[in-house]
Amino acid sequence: MLIKKVTWLELFYDLLFVAAVSKATHVLLHVEHGSISWEHMEKFIMIFIPIWWAWVGQTVYNNRFGQDSITHRIFMILQLFFVLIMTASLNIDFDAYYVSFFVGYIGLRGLTVVQYLLSAPKETAHKQETARFFGIYFWIGIVISSFSLFFDSWVRYLILYTGIAIDILVPLIGRKKLVITPIHTEHLLERFAQFTLILLGESVISMLSVLQSDHFTVSSIVFAALAFVLVIAIWWQYFENMEKRVDKSKQSAGQTIIYGHLFIYLSLSMLAASIQLLFLGQVDYIFVLCFTFASVFIYFLSVLLVFHQYRLSHLKPRLRVIFFLTGILCVLFILNIFVVVPPHLIVAEIMLFFLLFAKTTV
């Protein structure tokens, strides 16, 4: 398979999603009565999933059919405009900004589907069949979501997200067609790694917020330093595996990469929010402890799942290593439940876990 390079326009495309991810993460910082309400948790997920899927849709199209032609660039630039509309519409008050959010999201997805339809006649054999499959069946979710404009209240969102759910399920339903039209593995891994950097950037923003909120006291500097090492440990573990431990020549439908990274991204956003919540001390101890360790556990399992399929066979971690790391995380959580510890120590524990995670898997 030919080597496919990431283009500068793709990197610029990612840049506009930075603001969208930041807005989604900010929803988790709304604290009421010592916790994040279920309503805000749900809104975080409801905001995050369309962002992820809109980005994934164009990224996977680029991976299989993108040519960096003038026509392709025009489509990408048009999508950037819809990204701006969608990002500007991301708000806790969904009802007030629903129409503009809908226009931004559906505009993104619609342009991607049109690209599939235009690509189909230019391709042959299995690639033509795959392009036609996506060009036809992705419209189902878009049309269903469009009916949400005719309703109000919770019915509107039920219809919108039913359409999005069907949209997300289309590649899984058509997996047999995708296996015979494999992805460019190296390109797709690189693209998802680049988006991972965006999520790690949210943790850096959280560190800056900690330093600015406490005017550079000893406490804030120590906390930020621990959080900084934590982010470096995550970076080390993820990118060292990505760069040196995976088989980039492996041919597959890429669905483990695509869907597994949703949970990696969700957990990184949660972890970025946890850094601020721990330091500010406005959240109930048990809640922030559960929230923080849940984000770590989700990341841990998701990364193991994603890399397992693509890791070189002789470099796969043994089961006893995985059980050992899981046990450490569980022991730390249980100890912190029974013994109240300061936020600095919780961050230090997580930092050490990720350093150990990186050391044992890299």
Side-chain angles (χ1 to χ4, degrees):
M1 184 176 289
L2 295 174
I3 295 175
K4 191 177 185 69
K5 292 185 177 180
V6 175
T7 66
W8 292 109
L9 187 55
E10 285 180 287
L11 295 176
F12 185 57
Y13 187 79
D14 292 353
L15 186 63
L16 269 70
F17 276 88
V18 172
V21 168
S22 181
K23 279 198 168 187
T25 304
H26 188 74
V27 173
L28 294 174
L29 300 179
H30 287 76
V31 177
E32 296 176 357
H33 309 295
S35 66
I36 305 169
S37 68
W38 282 110
E39 180 185 1
H40 284 94
M41 295 284 283
E42 289 169 2
K43 286 183 177 179
F44 164 68
I45 295 172
M46 289 172 67
I47 289 173
F48 200 98
I49 288 179
I51 294 171
W52 163 76
W53 189 241
W55 181 86
V56 164
Q58 185 60 33
T59 297
V60 175
Y61 170 81
N62 290 345
N63 182 268
R64 280 198 173 94
F65 301 101
Q67 298 294 330
D68 197 28
S69 62
I70 295 298
T71 302
H72 178 72
R73 290 185 179 188
I74 290 172
F75 269 98
M76 288 281 286
I77 291 168
L78 286 173
Q79 287 197 46
L80 291 174
F81 177 70
F82 284 108
V83 174
L84 287 174
I85 294 174
M86 183 179 72
T87 303
S89 307
L90 297 176
N91 195 285
I92 297 269
D93 186 3
F94 258 154
D95 289 327
Y97 296 88
Y98 183 79
V99 174
S100 55
F101 168 80
F102 176 86
V103 169
Y105 174 75
I106 294 298
L108 280 166
R109 293 297 297 138
L111 284 172
T112 300
V113 178
V114 170
Q115 285 178 289
Y116 277 114
L117 291 173
L118 293 176
S119 295
K122 302 175 185 178
E123 301 293 342
T124 58
H126 297 310
K127 289 196 73 172
Q128 184 180 67
E129 188 179 350
T130 299
R132 189 178 291 117
F133 173 81
F134 282 138
I136 294 172
Y137 288 98
F138 272 147
W139 281 115
I140 296 174
I142 292 174
V143 171
I144 291 174
S145 291
S146 297
F147 282 109
S148 66
L149 291 173
F150 302 102
F151 296 89
D152 292 316
S153 69
W154 64 271
V155 178
R156 165 186 287 180
Y157 300 107
L158 176 63
I159 296 172
L160 171 69
Y161 285 93
T162 297
I164 293 175
I166 291 172
D167 210 27
I168 292 172
L169 289 172
V170 164
L172 295 174
I173 295 169
R175 178 175 171 78
K176 290 183 179 179
K177 296 181 183 294
L178 303 186
V179 170
I180 58 177
T181 314
I183 57 164
H184 293 267
T185 303
E186 184 174 3
H187 174 267
L188 196 67
L189 285 170
E190 187 176 353
R191 293 294 292 122
F192 276 85
Q194 288 160 355
F195 204 79
T196 300
L197 278 177
I198 293 176
L199 272 300
L200 286 178
E202 284 302 305
S203 294
V204 174
I205 292 172
S206 292
M207 284 183 273
L208 292 174
S209 299
V210 166
L211 290 172
Q212 292 170 352
S213 67
D214 212 30
H215 304 291
F216 292 92
T217 62
V218 173
S219 176
S220 64
I221 292 173
V222 171
F223 187 91
L226 292 169
F228 177 73
V229 177
L230 165 62
V231 173
I232 293 299
I234 296 173
W235 169 85
W236 176 27
Q237 191 280 328
Y238 181 93
F239 286 94
E240 192 73 8
N241 274 283
M242 182 70 74
E243 189 65 27
K244 300 178 181 179
R245 299 294 191 272
V246 296
D247 181 5
K248 296 178 182 178
S249 64
K250 182 172 182 175
Q251 296 190 353
S252 70
Q255 293 181 341
T256 302
I257 298 172
I258 295 167
Y259 296 100
H261 270 84
L262 169 60
F263 297 96
I264 292 175
Y265 296 157
L266 284 169
S267 60
L268 286 175
S269 280
M270 292 169 63
L271 198 56
S274 296
I275 291 173
Q276 288 194 61
L277 293 172
L278 280 166
F279 185 79
L280 294 175
Q282 298 173 349
V283 186
D284 178 74
Y285 175 78
I286 296 296
F287 178 87
V288 76
L289 186 67
C290 292
F291 184 80
T292 302
F293 273 85
S295 65
V296 174
F297 191 63
I298 293 170
Y299 176 88
F300 173 65
L301 292 181
S302 303
V303 165
L304 287 176
L305 172 65
V306 169
F307 286 129
H308 178 77
Q309 182 178 348
Y310 293 89
R311 190 188 289 268
L312 296 167
S313 58
H314 66 285
L315 295 175
K316 290 183 178 180
R318 297 181 179 180
L319 277 176
R320 67 167 179 261
V321 173
I322 297 173
F323 287 133
F324 171 68
L325 291 169
T326 305
I328 288 177
L329 195 59
C330 292
V331 168
L332 288 173
F333 175 70
I334 293 170
L335 285 175
N336 290 339
I337 287 287
F338 290 101
V339 180
V340 177
V341 297
H344 293 65
L345 186 55
I346 294 175
V347 174
E349 290 173 353
I350 296 170
M351 175 198 73
L352 291 172
F353 170 79
F354 272 107
L355 286 172
L356 190 59
F357 184 24
K359 179 66 177 175
T360 55
T361 57
V362 172

